[in-house]
Amino acid sequence: MLEVLLVEDDMLSAVDLQMKLEEIYESVKVVHRVTAREARNYLAENTPDVLLIDVVLETEKAGIQLVERFTENKPAVIFITAFRREDLFQKALDVDPDSFLQKPITADQLRHAIELALARK
């Protein structure tokens, strides 16, 4: 079973992404957290296959800062954002994500990003 930790503070986006994940994968466990802190607590005890995380959470770089903390057992990381800002993209690149998606995200884009991210692991 594929386990995805979805870290998204926009509830509509979170519901949309969860529905897409459940449509794409027959066997998927989606764990949703709203803040980087909640995600950090979850990751302290769990190792999901994929971390699907919004770049901008409580602060502009909260998502990036969460990924920076990984020293081992790093899941496949896919950043998502609604912002079309080159500076955020460049900051995200610094932590070597497996993919980066701009909202709105289609089911095909999501599936391709996850499959590529998992192949890199």
Side-chain angles (χ1 to χ4, degrees):
M1 174 180 293
L2 177 68
E3 183 177 341
V4 177
L5 175 58
L6 171 60
V7 187
E8 172 60 76
D9 57 356
D10 179 313
M11 293 308 291
L12 288 176
S13 290
V15 169
D16 179 60
L17 288 167
Q18 181 163 351
M19 287 173 46
K20 284 180 170 111
L21 287 164
E22 291 170 350
E23 172 187 316
I24 296 166
Y25 296 101
E26 192 172 296
S27 181
V28 64
K29 175 183 176 184
V30 180
V31 177
H32 176 233
R33 296 294 183 261
V34 175
T35 68
R37 181 182 203 159
E38 291 173 355
R40 202 170 21 261
N41 291 341
Y42 182 82
L43 290 165
E45 310 230 346
N46 301 278
T47 307
D49 301 300
V50 177
L51 175 59
L52 186 59
I53 184 168
D54 197 342
V55 174
V56 178
L57 293 163
E58 305 94 311
T59 64
E60 184 168 289
K61 280 184 54 178
I64 294 168
Q65 289 168 339
L66 176 65
V67 174
E68 283 176 333
R69 293 174 183 232
F70 281 107
T71 54
E72 55 186 54
N73 297 328
K74 180 180 172 185
V77 174
I78 301 170
F79 281 120
I80 55 177
T81 189
F83 296 99
R84 305 238 184 304
R85 291 181 29 204
E86 187 63 25
D87 64 319
L88 281 180
F89 178 69
Q90 292 303 319
K91 289 175 186 174
L93 283 180
D94 289 342
V95 296
D96 193 31
D98 297 292
S99 194
F100 188 96
L101 296 171
Q102 297 263 316
K103 298 175 191 175
I105 301 166
T106 68
D108 282 340
Q109 289 170 327
L110 184 58
R111 183 177 59 83
H112 293 163
I114 290 172
E115 297 302 317
L116 285 168
L118 292 173
R120 285 188 67 187
K121 294 295 169 192

